[in-house]
């Protein structure tokens, strides 16, 4: 060795470990990122009478990104606004083939997908040699739509039933002032007293749709036919009889 001792020093606010060793480590200080550049100097001492050798190196301290792509979400339709939380560095959104970002270099951007389903998007922040990534999953759901509505009077027109045929949506649900159930993608209400009002809202597990039907329905009153005479009538050949005389209203 051509030296007897060394001494490191720096312009930073951090701590030099083993500053009297040729190889040392530095703990970055709180102000180093703000200052940007740190200059490290080393002095090597030889035998008495020898010139002190010096050298220095400048290191740029970069802030490390802390990427946050936002919370997982479900969206009704084929578009959604991604909401990344920006820290530091150049932003890039990426996703599956066919996905279109309005502005892939912005933390908040509208994304459009080609078909309904679950998609995962990657949010990356790159600050020169320092980078970080995070992922967010969004379910794009097809909203339920009522395609056919029918009202059927039952029980001698004292009650009526509502049927709703539905397309789209997943795990259909309803909110109503009447009872009912789903058979596949068809909603069938329990019998409702004639003259009653109804309000039925169709949705799904993602809260999509909110399709509604409402109103008041009164079934037509059936004409009362009266009663027939039950006593045996005796007629002679050639006698006439009026059938209406057999009915008691």
């Amino acid at each position: 060795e051509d030296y007897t001792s060394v001494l490191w020093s720096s312009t930073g606010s951090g701590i030099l470990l083993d500053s009297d060793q040729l190889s040392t480590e530095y703990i970055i200080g709180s102000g180093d990122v703000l200052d940007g550049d740190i200059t490290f100097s080393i002095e090597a001492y030889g035998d008495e009478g020898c010139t002190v050798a010096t050298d220095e190196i400048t290191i740029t301290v970069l802030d490390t990104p802390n990427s946050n792509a936002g919370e997982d979400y479900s969206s009704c339709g084929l578009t959604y606004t991604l909401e990344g939380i920006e820290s530091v560095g150049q932003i890039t959104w990426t996703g599956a083939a066919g996905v279109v970002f309005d502005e892939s270099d912005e933390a908040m951007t509208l994304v459009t997908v080609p078909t309904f389903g679950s998609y995962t998007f990657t949010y990356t922040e790159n600050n020169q040699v320092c980078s970080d990534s995070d992922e967010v999953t969004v379910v794009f759901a097809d909203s339920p739509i009522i395609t056919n509505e029918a009202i059927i009077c039952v029980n001698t027109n004292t009650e009526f039933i509502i049927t709703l045929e539905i397309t789209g949506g997943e795990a259909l649900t309803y909110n109503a002032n009447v009872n009912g159930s789903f058979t596949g993608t068809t909603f069938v209400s329990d019998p409702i007293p004639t003259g009653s009002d109804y309000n039925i809202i169709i949705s799904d597990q993602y809260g999509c749709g909110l399709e509604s039907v409402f109103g008041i329905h009164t079934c037509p009153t059936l004409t009362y036919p009266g009663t027939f005479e039950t006593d045996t009538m005796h007629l002679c050949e050639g006698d006439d009889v009026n059938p209406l005389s057999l009915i008691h209203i």
Side-chain angles (χ1 to χ4, degrees):
E1 297 179 351
D2 297 330
Y3 63 92
T4 57
S5 63
V6 298
L7 181 64
W8 283 97
S9 62
S10 80
T11 60
S13 61
I15 300 173
L16 274 166
L17 302 178
D18 301 323
S19 60
D20 58 351
Q21 301 295 315
L22 189 61
S23 178
T24 186
E25 294 182 10
Y26 179 77
I27 299 176
I28 295 175
S30 58
D32 290 340
V33 174
L34 296 176
D35 294 338
D37 292 341
I38 304 174
T39 299
F40 294 92
S41 301
I42 186 172
E43 296 179 344
Y45 301 92
D47 294 330
E48 186 176 350
C50 294
T51 303
V52 176
T54 62
D55 197 9
E56 64 181 28
I57 184 174
T58 299
I59 296 177
T60 300
V61 180
L62 302 173
D63 198 359
T64 301
N66 183 20
S67 298
N68 187 338
E71 298 296 326
D72 293 344
Y73 198 76
S74 58
S75 175
C76 305
L78 296 175
T79 60
Y80 177 69
T81 299
L82 296 168
E83 298 182 356
I85 300 175
E86 187 174 359
S87 61
V88 64
Q90 178 66 39
I91 294 170
T92 305
W93 282 101
T94 55
V99 168
V100 177
F101 300 95
D102 275 13
E103 296 177 289
S104 61
D105 59 352
E106 296 289 340
M108 182 178 293
T109 183
L110 185 72
V111 62
T112 303
V113 298
T115 58
F116 296 108
S118 179
Y119 291 79
T120 297
F121 305 100
T122 302
Y123 176 73
T124 301
E125 292 175 315
N126 191 341
N127 189 19
Q128 298 186 47
V129 297
C130 303
S131 66
D132 191 31
S133 296
D134 190 30
E135 292 183 342
V136 61
T137 298
V138 180
V139 175
F140 294 84
D142 186 10
S143 298
I145 298 174
I146 298 173
T147 57
N148 189 41
E149 173 188 352
I151 298 179
I152 305 169
C153 291
V154 296
N155 299 331
T156 62
N157 286 17
T158 60
E159 296 177 307
F160 63 95
I161 291 174
I162 299 174
T163 64
L164 304 174
E165 295 180 7
I166 303 158
T167 61
E170 293 188 32
L172 296 172
T173 62
Y174 77 95
N175 184 17
N177 63 345
V178 298
N179 294 322
S181 60
F182 286 98
T183 301
T185 58
T186 299
F187 173 82
V188 180
S189 74
D190 292 348
I192 305 167
T194 184
S196 299
D197 69 303
Y198 59 90
N199 186 5
I200 305 170
I201 301 174
I202 301 297
S203 184
D204 71 358
Q205 65 177 336
Y206 300 115
C208 298
L210 299 181
E211 287 271 292
S212 65
V213 293
F214 56 90
I216 299 174
H217 185 75
T218 300
C219 294
T221 302
L222 296 178
T223 302
Y224 178 62
T227 59
F228 285 91
E229 177 63 55
T230 58
D231 292 339
T232 302
M233 296 184 65
H234 299 278
L235 299 174
C236 297
E237 184 178 356
D239 290 345
D240 294 327
V241 62
N242 182 1
L244 292 179
S245 67
L246 304 178
I247 301 175
H248 300 284
I249 304 300

